[in-house]
Amino acid sequence: SQTIHQWPATLVQPVGSPLSLECTVEGTSNPNLYWYRQAAGRGLQLLFYSVGIGQISSEVPQNLSASRPQDRQFILSSKKLLLSDSGFYLCAWRRDSPYNEQFFGPGTRLTVL
Amino acid sequence: AQSVTQPDIHITVSEGASLELRCNYSYGATPYLFWYVQSPGQGLQLLLKYFSGDTLVQGIKGFEAEFKRSQSSFNLRKPSVHWSDAAEYFCAVASSGAGSYQLTFGKGTKLSVIP
């Protein structure tokens, strides 16, 4: 069966510091991968998605970037965090099925102080 | 562009009562529709999904949803709510583009359950 992991679970960082969040998927190959951000009371916003190694699409202009160095690894990064980067970050993978459903990881709670 | 509206921000029901959470979508083609549930501090769990076929779909935890094309709705229902159903519920529509399928979410409905 497939599982998705996110690391770390929580993170507190000062403004201006770098960021690296990791997402890994097990039990599937060449998945489509996604990063979402969930801000309080604002639902989920798609940040990036990837259809393969080295292929990244950005949905919104922002202070963040994403990379996919390996087939089942998706990384969210920033060189200098802003207060507005605080939120709950969720990684997801898409099952290649008639429904194209997405499955989510446990999330990373990021607080920028 | 696709969009999803969940008109109820917060709903409170008594344990054992029935539940209906509303979802309206806007999408030009036949939509892929989903309901997810999120407990505090957790990721999202898929409750059920719809693409085609029977318009009444069954999901996990005793939930069901009905697709009504004429009303652009995909409401979630449960006949008898349990205290453990207290959580936030998200409706989503998937659209295709650039070789992938992207989810657009509603803003969520928080469900509180009174003992």
Side-chain angles (χ1 to χ4, degrees):
Chain A
S1 64
Q2 301 85 5
T3 56
I4 180 168
H5 304 279
Q6 288 187 242
W7 184 88
T10 60
L11 191 60
V12 180
Q13 293 284 92
V15 170
S17 64
L19 173 73
S20 180
L21 304 182
E22 184 171 339
C23 171
T24 58
V25 181
E26 297 177 354
T28 186
S29 59
N30 196 32
N32 285 186
L33 296 173
Y34 305 81
W35 277 112
Y36 293 86
R37 177 169 58 201
Q38 186 176 28
R42 295 179 60 184
L44 285 91
Q45 179 186 35
L46 178 63
L47 301 176
F48 301 94
Y49 67 92
S50 172
V51 299
I53 295 174
Q55 301 178 66
I56 308 295
S57 296
S58 174
E59 286 299 295
V60 293
Q62 57 202 311
N63 185 43
L64 303 169
S65 62
S67 62
R68 186 168 175 176
Q70 301 180 40
D71 181 44
R72 288 169 289 178
Q73 184 184 34
F74 203 21
I75 296 173
L76 184 69
S77 303
S78 173
K79 292 183 179 178
K80 290 185 178 182
L81 283 168
L82 306 172
L83 287 174
S84 58
D85 292 324
S86 293
F88 193 50
Y89 289 82
L90 290 156
C91 181
W93 70 277
R94 180 179 68 83
R95 173 183 286 177
D96 189 12
S97 79
Y99 295 92
N100 293 292
E101 63 266 49
Q102 293 183 21
F103 297 92
F104 287 78
T108 294
R109 171 71 60 189
L110 172 65
T111 303
V112 182
L113 301 175
Chain B
Q2 66 278 4
S3 65
V4 177
T5 301
Q6 292 180 248
D8 303 306
I9 296 173
H10 191 184
I11 285 182
T12 300
V13 301
S14 298
E15 190 169 16
S18 63
L19 171 71
E20 183 169 28
L21 302 183
R22 296 182 291 166
C23 172
N24 293 97
Y25 68 90
S26 173
Y27 186 62
T30 301
Y32 297 85
L33 292 163
F34 309 89
W35 274 100
Y36 287 85
V37 61
Q38 185 181 33
S39 297
Q42 305 294 316
L44 276 71
Q45 182 181 23
L46 180 64
L47 282 177
L48 44 76
K49 58 201 177 190
Y50 172 80
F51 173 53
S52 64
D54 193 346
T55 57
L56 184 63
V57 295
Q58 302 297 320
I60 62 172
K61 302 185 179 188
F63 285 92
E64 65 179 25
E66 186 171 14
F67 172 67
K68 293 185 178 180
R69 183 185 299 276
S70 62
Q71 298 177 21
S72 297
S73 69
F74 189 55
N75 294 347
L76 182 71
R77 302 195 294 244
K78 187 169 185 179
S80 178
V81 169
H82 188 262
W83 64 267
S84 60
D85 293 325
E88 192 156 19
Y89 292 80
F90 293 92
C91 181
V93 61
S95 60
S96 62
S100 184
Y101 287 84
Q102 303 168 38
L103 287 177
T104 299
F105 286 87
K107 294 190 181 300
T109 298
K110 184 176 181 180
L111 174 66
S112 297
V113 180
I114 299 172

